[in-house]
Every structure is written in C-alpha cells, then in structure tokens.
Amino acid sequence: MRHDHLISAKQLSRDDIEAVLDRAATIADDPPDHGDAILALLFFEPSTRTKMSFDAAMKRLGGTTVDMGPVETSSVKKGETLADTVRVVEGYADAIVLRHPSEGAAKMASEFVDVPLINAGDGAGQHPSQTLLDLYTIRENAGLDDLTIGIMGDLKYGRTVHSLASALTNFDARQHFVSPESLRLPRSVRYDLHEAGAQVREHTDLEEVLSELDVLYVTRIQRERFPDENEYRAVAGQYRIDEGTLAAAREDLVVMHPLPRVDEISADVDDTTRAKYFEQAHNGVPVRMALLDAMIGGEDR
Amino acid sequence: MSDDTLRVSKIRDGTVIDHVPGGQALKVLAILGIDGSAGETVSVGMNVPSDKLGRKDIVKVEGRELSQAEVDVISLIAPAASINIVRDYEVVEKNRVVRPDRVEGVLACPNPNCITTGDEPVASAFEVLDAGVRCAYCDTIIRRDIADHI
Ligand SMILES: [Zn+2]
C-alpha cells in the first residue's frame, strides 16, 4: 500500500490487496507496536460493528482511538461542515476513519487533511476496508483465482457490493449479480466493470446461476427502499435463502454476508459448513490491523 | 447560404460560438447562464445549412468573452464548435474547443446525496468520459442532457 488515503476499492491493485491479506494472516500472532498512535473514528451515521472493528484493530496494535460521540451531541449538529470537522480532527490523530451518509464524503474530506483517511462507508458509495475483509474470507475459503461468485440483494445502494465488485476485477473472477430489476447495479459500477473487462452477468433469479457458484455474497434488501410495504414483501421473499434454496448449490458453496442480516439468510444455514458470515465479520480485526499498519507507519511510509 | 447571411447580428465586442450541432444553441445559452433576463444582446441562428455539420447553430453574445470552464462545458455538447472572440467588429481570436479531461465548478451533480450538493466548501468536478461525464466525488454518470445540470 502506498496510498495516502483509502477512499475507493478502485484504488487497490492486486498487489495492494495481496499485501494486506498476507499481512492480515500473520499480524494477530505478532502485532507490531503502534503504541503512540491515535486513530480518530468519525462516524456520522451509526455503524457499531465497523466502528468497533477499527477500534479493536487499533487497540490490538497498541494504539488508542478517539471519537466524536453520537452525531446528535457533536458540533455537526450545530451545522459545522465536514471539511471543518476533519481539519480540526487531523490535529488530534495520526489517521482518520470516516463513515458518512453522503456519497463522495470521504473523497472530499481527504482533500482537506494530510493524515491518512480511510473511507468506512460513504452513503451508497464505497466501503473498501469491508472489501478487504471480504476478499480475505473468500481467499481463505474458496481462493481468489478461477472464482465464480454470485452477489445478491440490494446492488443499487449496497456500498459493500460496489467496492467488492471493483476489487474483484483484479482477479480471475466471474461475477453474477442477482437482484430485483429496481435494485440492479448503478450505471457507474457497470461502467467500471465494463472498462475493466470484467466477466459479468446480471440476473433477477438466483436459480439461473446458483449451481455454478463458489461463493454467494448476500446483502440485505432494505425496506425503506420501497414506497409500498407489499412491493417490498413481494421482492424480498425471492432473495431470501435457506437450506432448501441451497439444495441446488454445490456442497462447498461459501455463503457470505456483510451483516447485519435481517431475514435474508435463514438461521438453518448458520450451522452448515457453508456459512462463513461470522468468520467474515471476525476477519475485520486482523485485516484492519494490517491496513492500519500499512497506512500509519508501515515500512512503506 | 453562408455565415454572411447572419451579418444582421454582427457584434461589436463579444463571442461568436460557431459550428454548434443543429438544435443545440439553447443548451449553449443555458451553459452560459443566459436567459435574457439580464438584458444581454444575444443572437442565435438555428439549423443553418453547414458544409461540415449538415445543419449547425450559431450563438453570438455581445459584450462577453467566455471563461475556459464555460468553453470546456460547451465542448461536451458541441465538440466541433469554434469560439471566435470579437473586438471592435473584428475576429481577434478563433479557437476550436477541446474536450477537457475534467470540468470543475460548472455542472451540478444530479445525485441529491452527493457531498458536492450540500454546504461543504467544495466545487463540483466531473471527469469527461467518451460519452458523458462522471462526478469525481460520487461517481454518478451523466450521459445526455449535460446542459440540464448547469
Ligand atoms: Zn456527485
């Protein structure tokens, strides 16, 4: 990694990705000491897990974290711009992790600071550190070469999907996107996949492709995306998986989900060897340790 | 018919934008923020026969020279346009537009959730693609009707 900021998975080359994943595999056993490092956690929308995962990663490296507390009690509530907030906070910390509800927030914020900034989700945009832990999990369970992956659910607003899809263009991956027509991939993501020469197909029905998949990456279809509750119900049911649905899948299918899930993966899948979503969540800590190590004082900097 | 027939609106000082694709003149005016309310003298020739384009539009704006940012955006809807600067009835400069790699501060991002549409101290920026433009912040792509986003 030689980036000052991690804004989008599009920045990541295959070498960057492999360097972080390789380091993640060993870093927990012998963590480097970043005892004087402070990481600022700026979460303008709630995300307990991503925030805790970065917090845990920094602490495992011996460093500490500071955060701004809930948005309701911070100066943001008083109308301070994001540009001002990050310019203040860069004076407190060696790096900033930013979660913000607007697309492009991390990119803009990075233009105002000199400390490394990591995008931990900008609206429906990108979530590249999630992608690194997703790739780590895929590599451990299915390998990243000659991969057939199905990505299903809300592909339009799903930032984890957008980041994952672009990162996978670095590998020999066939990507199958499964969603309702109204939630298919945004034009900008399809454009990038096309430009990268990725092998991509879009489906509305999981059955069309399920039996070919090495990995099925499920995301949540959010109720609030639908104007009408009945419409939501009609759609959501088709993208819910259980053991019965997976009968047609390969025995070694890997089922992933960025969590939290609501009911898109039935609990009866949890006990099968296919379920990797909790492992995937746990991988967040070592992967983020490796990422922080590279960005705030690794050998490359 | 030639440009000479448009002599009726010959301007003293200002800009003549020539070789605009037929029917696009009003979009050029939109890019320039001209709607007549400020009392500018503007003449527009629409669907004038042209050897090069078949039919072309011509826009003449009295008393104003265009900024590079405006020229850049015009290039997106009128890639063959020429920009003629007129001073004292003479064309003193004649330039073909060049499609830029990036346009800043002129187009507004159509994504209402884009960080550039809020109160942040940041100008909009768009990368120019082969067909369309793309927000440098949120990645939203605008393919046609670029002038609607000014
Ligand atoms: Zn935008």
mmCIF file of all heavy atoms in Angstrom, chain A residues 80-98:
data_model
loop_
_atom_site.group_PDB
_atom_site.id
_atom_site.type_symbol
_atom_site.label_atom_id
_atom_site.label_comp_id
_atom_site.label_asym_id
_atom_site.label_seq_id
_atom_site.Cartn_x
_atom_site.Cartn_y
_atom_site.Cartn_z
ATOM 1 N N GLU A 80 -21.620 22.511 11.636
ATOM 2 C CA GLU A 80 -20.236 22.554 11.149
ATOM 3 C C GLU A 80 -20.096 21.693 9.893
ATOM 4 O O GLU A 80 -20.698 20.628 9.784
ATOM 5 C CB GLU A 80 -19.302 22.025 12.238
ATOM 6 C CG GLU A 80 -17.823 22.107 11.849
ATOM 7 C CD GLU A 80 -16.891 21.610 12.950
ATOM 8 O OE1 GLU A 80 -16.949 20.409 13.282
ATOM 9 O OE2 GLU A 80 -16.109 22.428 13.475
ATOM 10 N N THR A 81 -19.308 22.167 8.947
ATOM 11 C CA THR A 81 -19.116 21.363 7.738
ATOM 12 C C THR A 81 -18.192 20.184 8.033
ATOM 13 O O THR A 81 -17.390 20.218 8.968
ATOM 14 C CB THR A 81 -18.476 22.189 6.603
ATOM 15 O OG1 THR A 81 -17.184 22.638 7.042
ATOM 16 C CG2 THR A 81 -19.341 23.378 6.211
ATOM 17 N N LEU A 82 -18.303 19.180 7.188
ATOM 18 C CA LEU A 82 -17.394 18.032 7.293
ATOM 19 C C LEU A 82 -15.958 18.487 7.063
ATOM 20 O O LEU A 82 -15.025 18.016 7.725
ATOM 21 C CB LEU A 82 -17.802 16.975 6.255
ATOM 22 C CG LEU A 82 -16.858 15.777 6.106
ATOM 23 C CD1 LEU A 82 -16.739 15.003 7.410
ATOM 24 C CD2 LEU A 82 -17.360 14.860 4.986
ATOM 25 N N ALA A 83 -15.779 19.411 6.130
ATOM 26 C CA ALA A 83 -14.421 19.911 5.842
ATOM 27 C C ALA A 83 -13.785 20.501 7.100
ATOM 28 O O ALA A 83 -12.613 20.263 7.391
ATOM 29 C CB ALA A 83 -14.478 20.947 4.720
ATOM 30 N N ASP A 84 -14.561 21.265 7.870
ATOM 31 C CA ASP A 84 -14.027 21.841 9.108
ATOM 32 C C ASP A 84 -13.769 20.754 10.142
ATOM 33 O O ASP A 84 -12.740 20.756 10.818
ATOM 34 C CB ASP A 84 -15.019 22.854 9.701
ATOM 35 C CG ASP A 84 -14.893 24.220 9.046
ATOM 36 O OD1 ASP A 84 -14.095 24.357 8.090
ATOM 37 O OD2 ASP A 84 -15.601 25.151 9.489
ATOM 38 N N THR A 85 -14.698 19.830 10.262
ATOM 39 C CA THR A 85 -14.534 18.773 11.263
ATOM 40 C C THR A 85 -13.229 18.008 11.038
ATOM 41 O O THR A 85 -12.443 17.839 11.967
ATOM 42 C CB THR A 85 -15.721 17.780 11.215
ATOM 43 O OG1 THR A 85 -16.933 18.508 11.377
ATOM 44 C CG2 THR A 85 -15.605 16.744 12.322
ATOM 45 N N VAL A 86 -12.990 17.595 9.805
ATOM 46 C CA VAL A 86 -11.783 16.782 9.593
ATOM 47 C C VAL A 86 -10.510 17.612 9.746
ATOM 48 O O VAL A 86 -9.485 17.099 10.179
ATOM 49 C CB VAL A 86 -11.782 16.023 8.239
ATOM 50 C CG1 VAL A 86 -12.872 14.959 8.222
ATOM 51 C CG2 VAL A 86 -11.886 16.938 7.034
ATOM 52 N N ARG A 87 -10.588 18.906 9.411
ATOM 53 C CA ARG A 87 -9.396 19.739 9.593
ATOM 54 C C ARG A 87 -9.065 19.922 11.074
ATOM 55 O O ARG A 87 -7.918 20.064 11.446
ATOM 56 C CB ARG A 87 -9.582 21.107 8.915
ATOM 57 C CG ARG A 87 -9.298 21.027 7.419
ATOM 58 C CD ARG A 87 -9.398 22.369 6.739
ATOM 59 N NE ARG A 87 -10.799 22.759 6.565
ATOM 60 C CZ ARG A 87 -11.194 23.791 5.830
ATOM 61 N NH1 ARG A 87 -10.296 24.566 5.219
ATOM 62 N NH2 ARG A 87 -12.465 24.069 5.705
ATOM 63 N N VAL A 88 -10.095 19.941 11.911
ATOM 64 C CA VAL A 88 -9.845 20.007 13.353
ATOM 65 C C VAL A 88 -9.277 18.667 13.839
ATOM 66 O O VAL A 88 -8.258 18.611 14.515
ATOM 67 C CB VAL A 88 -11.147 20.353 14.112
ATOM 68 C CG1 VAL A 88 -10.941 20.188 15.618
ATOM 69 C CG2 VAL A 88 -11.580 21.782 13.788
ATOM 70 N N VAL A 89 -9.930 17.604 13.421
ATOM 71 C CA VAL A 89 -9.591 16.281 13.963
ATOM 72 C C VAL A 89 -8.208 15.817 13.517
ATOM 73 O O VAL A 89 -7.531 15.088 14.236
ATOM 74 C CB VAL A 89 -10.691 15.263 13.590
ATOM 75 C CG1 VAL A 89 -10.261 13.847 13.901
ATOM 76 C CG2 VAL A 89 -11.988 15.605 14.319
ATOM 77 N N GLU A 90 -7.744 16.258 12.356
ATOM 78 C CA GLU A 90 -6.420 15.789 11.926
ATOM 79 C C GLU A 90 -5.336 16.249 12.905
ATOM 80 O O GLU A 90 -4.275 15.645 12.978
ATOM 81 C CB GLU A 90 -6.083 16.202 10.491
ATOM 82 C CG GLU A 90 -5.644 17.631 10.313
ATOM 83 C CD GLU A 90 -5.003 17.875 8.948
ATOM 84 O OE1 GLU A 90 -4.325 16.970 8.422
ATOM 85 O OE2 GLU A 90 -5.187 18.973 8.418
ATOM 86 N N GLY A 91 -5.634 17.297 13.652
ATOM 87 C CA GLY A 91 -4.689 17.748 14.675
ATOM 88 C C GLY A 91 -4.662 16.854 15.902
ATOM 89 O O GLY A 91 -3.766 16.950 16.733
ATOM 90 N N TYR A 92 -5.652 15.998 16.035
ATOM 91 C CA TYR A 92 -5.740 15.131 17.213
ATOM 92 C C TYR A 92 -5.215 13.731 16.964
ATOM 93 O O TYR A 92 -5.027 12.970 17.908
ATOM 94 C CB TYR A 92 -7.211 14.946 17.645
ATOM 95 C CG TYR A 92 -8.011 16.190 17.938
ATOM 96 C CD1 TYR A 92 -9.410 16.139 17.916
ATOM 97 C CD2 TYR A 92 -7.403 17.401 18.266
ATOM 98 C CE1 TYR A 92 -10.175 17.256 18.193
ATOM 99 C CE2 TYR A 92 -8.170 18.524 18.539
ATOM 100 C CZ TYR A 92 -9.550 18.455 18.500
ATOM 101 O OH TYR A 92 -10.314 19.549 18.775
ATOM 102 N N ALA A 93 -5.089 13.351 15.689
ATOM 103 C CA ALA A 93 -4.908 11.920 15.424
ATOM 104 C C ALA A 93 -3.923 11.680 14.290
ATOM 105 O O ALA A 93 -3.625 12.566 13.494
ATOM 106 C CB ALA A 93 -6.254 11.284 15.082
ATOM 107 N N ASP A 94 -3.432 10.443 14.219
ATOM 108 C CA ASP A 94 -2.488 10.052 13.164
ATOM 109 C C ASP A 94 -3.200 9.542 11.919
ATOM 110 O O ASP A 94 -2.585 9.411 10.862
ATOM 111 C CB ASP A 94 -1.567 8.956 13.697
ATOM 112 C CG ASP A 94 -0.807 9.452 14.914
ATOM 113 O OD1 ASP A 94 0.030 10.334 14.746
ATOM 114 O OD2 ASP A 94 -1.110 8.989 16.043
ATOM 115 N N ALA A 95 -4.465 9.205 12.080
ATOM 116 C CA ALA A 95 -5.260 8.754 10.933
ATOM 117 C C ALA A 95 -6.728 8.931 11.287
ATOM 118 O O ALA A 95 -7.084 9.044 12.467
ATOM 119 C CB ALA A 95 -4.979 7.287 10.603
ATOM 120 N N ILE A 96 -7.548 8.986 10.242
ATOM 121 C CA ILE A 96 -8.984 9.194 10.435
ATOM 122 C C ILE A 96 -9.746 8.096 9.702
ATOM 123 O O ILE A 96 -9.429 7.773 8.558
ATOM 124 C CB ILE A 96 -9.416 10.570 9.869
ATOM 125 C CG1 ILE A 96 -8.741 11.707 10.639
ATOM 126 C CG2 ILE A 96 -10.944 10.726 9.890
ATOM 127 C CD1 ILE A 96 -8.976 13.097 10.044
ATOM 128 N N VAL A 97 -10.733 7.537 10.402
ATOM 129 C CA VAL A 97 -11.678 6.627 9.744
ATOM 130 C C VAL A 97 -13.007 7.365 9.667
ATOM 131 O O VAL A 97 -13.487 7.879 10.678
ATOM 132 C CB VAL A 97 -11.860 5.323 10.547
ATOM 133 C CG1 VAL A 97 -12.932 4.445 9.900
ATOM 134 C CG2 VAL A 97 -10.545 4.567 10.630
ATOM 135 N N LEU A 98 -13.553 7.463 8.476
ATOM 136 C CA LEU A 98 -14.767 8.259 8.281
ATOM 137 C C LEU A 98 -15.916 7.430 7.727
ATOM 138 O O LEU A 98 -15.772 6.744 6.715
ATOM 139 C CB LEU A 98 -14.475 9.405 7.290
ATOM 140 C CG LEU A 98 -15.672 10.294 6.906
ATOM 141 C CD1 LEU A 98 -16.117 11.160 8.081
ATOM 142 C CD2 LEU A 98 -15.315 11.183 5.707
#
